[in-house]
Amino acid sequence: MGEIMSPKEMAGQEQLVEFQHLCDQMMFWINYKEVIVWPEDLKSEKDSQLIMKQKYAKFNEEVAAQESHVNDVMKLADLLIESKHPDEIVIRRRREELKQSWQRMRKLALKRQMLGQEELADAQPMEVIQPEDGKKPTLQSVATEAKLLRGLLEDFLRLEQFEKDCHPTKTWINETIGLMSDDGHLSPTDLNLKMDNHKKLEEDVMSRKNRVEMLTKIQAHLTDVLKMWEVLLAATELKSIHMSQAWQLEKFNHGIDNMTAWLAEVEATLSSPDFGSDLASVELLTKEHALLERDIKTHKDIIDIIVTAAQQFSECGHFDLKNILSKKDVVVKRFDGLGPLQSERQRKLVDALKAYQLFHEMDVEEEWIAKKHEVIAGRGKDIDTVRALIKETQSILQAMQIHDPDVQRVIQSGQKLARGHHLAEEINKRTQQLSEHWASLKERAFERKQSNQLVLLFLFQIKD
């Protein structure tokens, strides 16, 4: 068993446990908000500007409310560092992790606020956005922009020419349809002239066939392009959703990893075969177990956050939902399994405390018995010393008679406590030793009394 902690060290250990727990709570809250309330999730086509404004305000209020808790954790970390805590390196690392995560959350809140302002400022005139770095555009950047603009202008020019070409063609087709639909050819007059006119129209129609067929090919290609464009838009949207979900999954997995590591540590502690080697060590382990019970109770909030996050992923149809639900079920099952382990260790610590309290009482009785053995072991050399020994032995016998109920109580307590106890073998051994030593003291005291009386009688006869 290691060295027993002083009250100051014990208080420092309790403060470290509290600091670790507060850090865990804040980190899980930050990760949960980053996963569930990403800025784009607030936007909805059905939401009015007022509703979006209310959502932005609510999120900012939650962030502001948590800031005081973050400051409290930072102050506790500074206090532990100033007091030269043995785990100063761990405290500094956790403090820096929390600080960086909180700064990231503040940036997220600012981004959301800016997003809300953009949505609510549709009616305001646009302003020219200057480069953030204030640098003048380079010749290469101007040339690139000019090339892009030229390509767009050429596309617009071709589109305009296409529309110009389409208009007269459509006009000619409508006019020709009217001529071809005329019933004048049914009259048997001027058939030669009508035949000549029809032949000329037919030749004109056939001469334009290639142009119309080209338009048909353009239409077919345009239809294919539009279909491919729709597929591209759908794939882009799905990729964006999956990228956002992948980012959310990374945060969720980080929280799961932290909880898994904590569970492994707690399970190892609760399954430890060390229940102390003496009364002081058992009392220390009992205090540590009380701190662990408090930590387990407060980690229930983190488990609730994990369950809620998994439910949110299920509602939004996350692409890795199967693994998410599997991981959630595993940590929830392991957390629920801490209950029996916790109860079992608590019971064994209580039993160990009772055992070492009993051992302490046995040590007191054994010490009392040893002192009495020393007294009755003495031998007298003359009548006066023998008379004194007889008197002391008689006093011991009377004290033993008075003390016998106490010894019997300790022996009976040992016999009762040994039933089902994990230290049953040692309890039975020490109980049997105490019983034998007590019986031996009784026997030797009675024998010494008789022996001293015979010695005294013999001394009187010699004197006479």
Side-chain angles (χ1 to χ4, degrees):
M1 190 69 187
E3 186 177 337
I4 299 175
M5 292 184 181
S6 65
K8 183 178 180 180
E9 291 173 332
M10 194 68 187
Q13 188 68 18
E14 292 178 1
Q15 287 180 322
L16 177 61
V17 171
E18 182 181 3
F19 170 73
Q20 294 275 35
H21 167 65
L22 293 175
C23 275
D24 290 341
Q25 277 192 321
M26 291 307 307
M27 291 296 293
F28 267 89
W29 184 90
I30 292 171
N31 290 336
Y32 171 70
K33 286 300 178 182
E34 287 179 329
V35 169
I36 302 303
V37 201
W38 185 241
E40 285 75 0
D41 295 339
L42 284 182
K43 299 173 62 178
S44 173
E45 295 179 357
K46 298 180 180 180
D47 287 346
S48 65
Q49 292 180 350
L50 178 59
I51 293 177
M52 285 193 295
K53 185 176 180 180
Q54 291 173 347
K55 287 183 177 181
Y56 299 141
K58 182 179 179 181
F59 176 77
N60 288 329
E61 287 175 0
E62 291 177 353
V63 173
Q66 289 295 329
E67 188 158 14
S68 62
H69 298 302
V70 174
N71 292 334
D72 291 340
V73 178
M74 294 294 184
K75 290 179 181 178
L76 179 57
D78 293 338
L79 179 64
L80 292 173
I81 292 172
E82 290 175 2
S83 64
K84 305 297 182 182
H85 196 280
D87 295 315
E88 180 179 348
I89 296 177
V90 176
I91 296 170
R92 287 184 182 275
R93 177 178 57 80
R94 293 302 308 274
R95 183 185 65 175
E96 187 63 24
E97 289 177 355
L98 178 59
K99 182 180 179 180
Q100 293 179 1
S101 297
W102 182 248
Q103 288 176 348
R104 187 174 64 248
M105 172 59 70
R106 295 295 297 170
K107 291 179 181 179
L108 177 62
L110 180 60
K111 180 177 180 181
R112 171 163 299 171
Q113 184 178 2
M114 295 173 63
L115 181 63
Q117 291 173 352
E118 292 174 1
E119 295 291 336
L120 298 174
D122 292 338
Q124 297 179 0
M126 294 180 60
E127 297 181 0
V128 178
I129 300 176
Q130 299 294 336
E132 293 181 359
D133 53 8
K135 296 180 180 179
K136 294 182 179 181
T138 63
L139 183 61
Q140 183 179 359
S141 65
V142 172
T144 303
E145 292 293 333
K147 185 178 180 180
L148 177 62
L149 181 59
R150 180 181 179 180
L152 292 175
L153 290 174
E154 289 177 350
D155 290 341
F156 279 118
L157 183 61
R158 284 193 291 269
L159 178 60
E160 184 177 3
Q161 186 63 42
F162 177 76
E163 291 179 348
K164 288 181 179 180
D165 292 341
C166 282
H167 181 70
T169 301
K170 290 167 64 178
T171 302
W172 176 84
I173 291 175
N174 286 329
E175 292 175 353
T176 305
I177 289 174
L179 292 174
M180 291 299 183
S181 301
D182 185 14
D183 294 337
H185 64 282
L186 298 179
S187 175
T189 58
D190 300 328
L191 286 178
N192 289 331
L193 178 62
K194 291 177 181 179
M195 287 293 294
D196 291 339
N197 291 336
H198 178 73
K199 187 175 181 179
K200 291 179 181 179
L201 283 173
E202 187 176 10
E203 290 176 352
D204 192 17
V205 168
M206 297 308 295
S207 67
R208 298 174 184 265
K209 182 179 179 180
N210 291 336
R211 183 181 298 180
V212 175
E213 287 180 348
M214 181 64 67
L215 292 175
T216 303
K217 291 180 179 179
I218 293 174
Q219 178 63 40
H221 286 303
L222 182 60
T223 301
D224 290 341
V225 169
L226 291 175
K227 289 181 179 179
M228 293 171 65
W229 179 249
E230 292 298 328
V231 173
L232 177 60
L233 288 178
T236 302
E237 182 180 2
L238 182 61
K239 183 67 173 293
S240 298
I241 293 174
H242 283 177
M243 289 297 294
S244 177
Q245 290 181 347
W247 182 86
Q248 296 170 347
L249 180 61
E250 182 183 5
K251 294 295 179 182
F252 179 81
N253 286 338
H254 180 67
I256 289 290
D257 291 341
N258 287 342
M259 177 57 72
T260 301
W262 178 84
L263 283 170
E265 182 181 347
V266 173
E267 288 169 346
T269 301
L270 293 178
S271 303
S272 172
D274 180 15
F275 298 100
S277 58
D278 52 35
L279 188 58
S281 61
V282 173
E283 289 176 346
L284 178 59
L285 287 174
T286 302
K287 289 182 180 179
E288 291 177 353
H289 184 75
L291 291 175
L292 185 60
E293 284 183 327
R294 178 184 171 188
D295 195 30
I296 292 173
K297 186 176 181 181
T298 51
H299 267 75
K300 181 63 170 63
D301 298 336
I302 300 176
I303 288 293
D304 292 340
I305 289 176
I306 291 176
V307 172
T308 303
Q311 183 179 357
Q312 292 283 348
F313 287 139
S314 177
E315 292 174 356
C316 71
H318 197 284
F319 70 88
D320 201 26
L321 182 60
K322 182 177 179 180
N323 288 330
I324 289 173
L325 295 179
S326 176
K327 291 179 179 179
K328 182 264 296 183
D329 291 339
V330 169
V331 296
V332 170
K333 184 177 180 180
R334 288 181 66 181
F335 185 83
D336 292 340
L338 296 180
L341 292 176
Q342 182 180 344
S343 300
E344 179 66 13
R345 182 164 182 80
Q346 173 68 22
R347 182 185 67 80
K348 288 187 176 181
L349 283 173
V350 171
D351 288 346
L353 185 62
K354 291 179 180 178
Y356 286 109
Q357 287 174 340
L358 176 67
F359 292 161
H360 175 70
E361 293 181 2
M362 287 182 174
D363 290 339
V364 172
E365 298 301 337
E366 291 284 6
E367 184 179 358
W368 190 91
I369 292 172
K371 289 180 178 179
K372 302 307 177 187
H373 269 296
E374 292 178 1
V375 174
I376 62 177
R379 293 183 177 274
K381 296 180 180 179
D382 51 38
I383 294 176
D384 293 335
T385 56
V386 171
R387 281 179 174 176
L389 286 174
I390 293 173
K391 186 176 181 180
E392 287 181 359
T393 303
Q394 185 62 35
S395 299
I396 290 174
L397 288 171
Q398 292 176 353
M400 289 178 63
Q401 186 177 4
I402 297 174
H403 198 65
D404 185 69
D406 294 332
V407 176
Q408 296 302 326
R409 176 187 59 78
V410 173
I411 293 173
Q412 291 173 3
S413 297
Q415 294 171 345
K416 182 178 179 181
L417 185 62
R419 298 167 190 164
H421 200 287
H422 64 281
L423 296 175
E425 183 177 355
E426 185 175 358
I427 294 173
N428 285 327
K429 178 182 177 181
R430 296 196 59 173
T431 302
Q432 182 64 27
Q433 286 179 349
L434 177 60
S435 179
E436 291 175 356
H437 292 167
W438 182 248
S440 174
L441 178 62
K442 284 182 176 180
E443 183 178 355
R444 290 194 63 187
F446 184 74
E447 289 177 353
R448 179 58 63 188
K449 178 182 178 181
Q450 290 183 330
S451 174
N452 286 331
Q453 287 176 344
L454 291 176
V455 170
L456 181 61
L457 180 60
F458 176 73
L459 291 175
F460 273 122
Q461 288 176 352
I462 292 177
K463 182 180 178 180
D464 293 341

